[in-house]
């Protein structure tokens, strides 16, 4: 029974990590008035893959992030949420 509870806890933890807003691809596309379909065609990826990246249910690889940044003509840092507050 303990293992079942532990398995449920681990699954919930994994789901919470997946839901974390790690990338800003959807925002970057909207700011440039581009659609998922455009990006999928530009990168040669399936539209469902782009959709999963935009909803943060999956994360793109670092090389894919570079390709996205190039396609959108932006700095790669604009595609990620900062992990710490920037203090000046």
């Amino acid at each position: 029974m303990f293992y079942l509870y532990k398995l449920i806890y681990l699954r919930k933890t994994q789901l919470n990590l997946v839901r974390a807003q790690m990338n800003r691809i959807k925002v970057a596309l909207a700011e440039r008035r581009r659609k998922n379909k455009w990006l999928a065609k530009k990168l040669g990826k399936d539209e469902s893959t782009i959709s999963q990246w935009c909803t943060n249910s999956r994360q793109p690889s670092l090389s894919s992030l570079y390709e996205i940044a190039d396609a959108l003509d932006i700095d790669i840092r604009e595609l990620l949420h900062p992990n710490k507050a920037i203090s000046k």
Side-chain angles (χ1 to χ4, degrees):
M1 192 62 130
F2 171 77
Y3 293 110
L4 179 61
Y5 288 123
K6 187 169 184 172
L7 182 62
I8 292 170
Y9 172 76
L10 289 174
R11 184 66 181 146
K12 285 182 180 179
T13 304
Q14 288 173 340
L15 289 174
N16 288 337
L17 288 174
V18 168
R19 289 187 191 124
Q21 298 298 309
M22 297 179 75
N23 74 59
R24 299 181 65 250
I25 297 170
K26 185 176 185 176
V27 174
L29 284 169
E31 289 173 349
R32 281 143 193 88
R33 295 185 176 95
R34 297 291 186 174
K35 302 281 185 184
N36 294 8
K37 188 174 185 173
W38 174 85
L39 185 59
K41 191 173 185 178
K42 192 85 169 166
L43 300 180
K45 303 279 186 188
D46 194 70
E47 284 182 54
S48 65
T49 300
I50 304 300
S51 177
Q52 290 171 344
W53 291 347
C54 288
T55 59
N56 280 281
S57 57
R58 282 184 47 202
Q59 297 302 317
S61 66
L62 188 55
S63 61
S64 292
L65 281 173
Y66 273 103
E67 290 176 21
I68 295 165
D70 283 342
L72 294 172
D73 194 29
I74 60 174
D75 189 287
I76 193 170
R77 292 173 290 186
E78 291 183 47
L79 295 174
L80 300 172
H81 285 285
N83 64 334
K84 294 183 179 184
I86 301 171
S87 59
K88 293 183 178 184

